[in-house]
Amino acid sequence: MKKQTKVLLAAVAGIVLLAAVFFAMYQSFLPSAAAGEKQLILTVVHKDGAQADFTLDTQAEYLGDVLTEENLIQGEESAYGLYVTKVDGETADESKEEWWCLTKDGETCDTGISQTPISDGDHFELTLTTGW
């Protein structure tokens, strides 16, 4: 019985150590945010193709914070951050598989809006997209 207990404890310790290593790696690869005053541009592309450009000055470090402060977006908090449902007054209709796609300089962002860091001069786009 003692040998089984030692093996079990060693296995649990190994799993905990492995989890700690993976968490540290995950944290080290997250994009970092820039502190201080910055200016960014947000282009909103509506369902009808109309575009609206917003130039925003902020000290926020993450995109979701500045867009929420400026009342440009609304959404629902989830385990993955803010799920954007409304941008610049237009609501995505989930029954039609509509959603807001976040891009930076035309490239899809790998992070959600709440985890997307901003730097001075960044240009983001939110496009109402249809189809999952």
Side-chain angles (χ1 to χ4, degrees):
M1 189 75 162
K2 286 185 178 184
K3 187 174 183 178
Q4 288 178 332
T5 303
K6 287 181 182 179
V7 170
L8 181 61
L9 287 175
V12 169
I15 291 171
V16 168
L17 180 62
L18 191 59
V21 168
F22 281 124
F23 180 75
M25 288 175 54
Y26 171 77
Q27 290 294 324
S28 68
F29 286 110
L30 281 177
S32 60
E37 186 70 27
K38 36 200 159 296
Q39 185 177 76
L40 64 103
I41 297 172
L42 173 70
T43 299
V44 177
V45 181
H46 291 275
K47 185 177 186 175
D48 64 2
Q51 293 187 8
D53 289 320
F54 300 90
T55 301
L56 306 167
D57 296 307
T58 185
Q59 289 195 18
E61 295 182 353
Y62 294 93
L63 185 60
D65 294 336
V66 67
L67 298 182
T68 301
E69 289 170 8
E70 296 289 331
N71 293 317
L72 286 172
I73 63 170
Q74 293 177 356
E76 302 167 4
E77 284 297 328
S78 73
Y80 306 103
L82 184 68
Y83 175 71
V84 178
T85 56
K86 187 175 187 178
V87 177
D88 189 28
E90 185 168 13
T91 303
D93 185 347
E94 287 189 37
S95 70
K96 296 179 181 175
E97 296 184 356
E98 293 177 348
W99 56 284
W100 288 99
C101 179
L102 174 63
T103 55
K104 179 179 178 184
D105 297 321
E107 298 289 325
T108 303
C109 292
D110 293 333
T111 53
I113 204 159
S114 299
Q115 295 86 22
T116 300
I118 53 177
S119 299
D120 190 41
D122 281 347
H123 181 214
F124 293 95
E125 305 87 20
L126 278 168
T127 304
L128 188 60
T129 306
T130 302
W132 307 124

